[in-house]
Amino acid sequence: MVAGSGVIRMANRLAVVTGASTGIGFELATLAAKDGCDLIVVADEPLIAAAADDFRQFGTKVEAVEADLATIEGGNSLLSAAQGREIDILVANAGVGTGGAFLDQDVAAWRHSIDTNITGTVYLLQRVLQRMVMRGQGQVLVTGSIAGYIPGSFNAVYNATKAFVDNFTEALRNELKDTGVTVTCLMPGVTDTHFFARADMLDTRVGQQSDKADPAEVASPHVVKAIAPLAQGRSVVMASDFRRTVSPDTGPYFHHIGIYAYQRASLERFV
């Protein structure tokens, strides 16, 4: 057992973590490395090489891939890095925000968010899950968001993409419930990462919120559920302001009105 993880070391298993250079993805990859998984870590920035060095301190094999998962070519370069080895665990965490008024955004900016958060995620899930289902085993964790249940003014495209991810992941979980493959959706709330700076949202109330969740806190309870045999495909919600673990029976639909009112106020920009 690994201290703090609660799962058996997973030597000789291969985990792929996207968006692993910082934030929640970095913390999820750290946990997988601590649990003995070999890693392929991916991000669209050179910082992924330094992150890979951090993961190697746990004595596991780590391959760093710098790739733009908004493109099919980027997804293929990630898959090629496995060199024919079966992927046992996929953590699909990569995502891009698009803060600001929608009418002021460049087409390239909002399209990159859609292509990363939706197209790239769907492509990677299909390719990896096809192999997992053939083998009758595998674990997938997808980073969604409580933002997917909220019309997000001044972050409209991002929230809409997360609505897709939350919905799509829940549907896949149901489709694959008898295959031996588990699919879990991690739905963070407001988390202290580089997301807000990258999405040009530092001038929003949510961007300046002082009590954001620690990414390690968001990651640690739920990566275990996703990769442990006891996961059984449960949906998981981790919201920094609305913490609740949701069972397969109840589904992820919770506190819509309260969250909407909170987030609507949070997204208002300081003038």
Side-chain angles (χ1 to χ4, degrees), residues 178-198:
D178 297 320
T179 64
V181 177
T182 66
V183 179
T184 302
C185 189
L186 175 64
M187 298 183 191
V190 182
T191 307
D192 189 12
T193 69
H194 296 300
F195 172 86
F196 298 101
R198 291 171 176 168

Side-chain angles (χ1 to χ4, degrees), residues 99-117:
F102 172 67
L103 298 185
D104 296 335
Q105 293 174 1
D106 293 334
V107 172
W110 61 253
R111 182 171 179 178
H112 185 253
S113 181
I114 292 172
D115 287 343
T116 302
N117 302 358

Side-chain angles (χ1 to χ4, degrees), residues 4-5 68 91 93 114 146 153 164-165 209 213 249-250 270:
S5 75
D68 183 1
V91 179
N93 172 76
I114 292 172
I146 63 167
S153 303
F164 178 96
V165 170
Q209 186 173 320
D249 297 326
T250 59
F270 290 105

Side-chain angles (χ1 to χ4, degrees), residues 56-136:
R56 291 187 183 102
Q57 69 179 298
F58 303 108
T60 189
K61 297 178 182 177
V62 182
E63 177 76 16
V65 177
E66 184 181 346
D68 183 1
L69 296 181
T71 67
I72 298 300
E73 293 77 15
N76 286 338
S77 68
L78 162 57
L79 295 169
S80 296
Q83 299 182 337
R85 187 175 173 185
E86 298 291 359
I87 296 169
D88 300 291
I89 299 162
L90 170 63
V91 179
N93 172 76
V96 177
T98 50
F102 172 67
L103 298 185
D104 296 335
Q105 293 174 1
D106 293 334
V107 172
W110 61 253
R111 182 171 179 178
H112 185 253
S113 181
I114 292 172
D115 287 343
T116 302
N117 302 358
I118 296 178
T119 307
T121 299
V122 169
Y123 179 68
L124 191 58
L125 286 173
Q126 185 180 54
R127 290 289 306 274
V128 173
L129 282 168
Q130 285 172 339
R131 297 292 303 175
M132 286 182 172
V133 170
M134 287 178 60
R135 303 194 316 271

Side-chain angles (χ1 to χ4, degrees), residues 21 41 43 45-56 62 64-66:
S21 56
V41 290
E45 58 182 353
L47 186 60
I48 192 63
D53 288 338
D54 287 333
F55 306 140
R56 291 187 183 102
V62 182
V65 177
E66 184 181 346

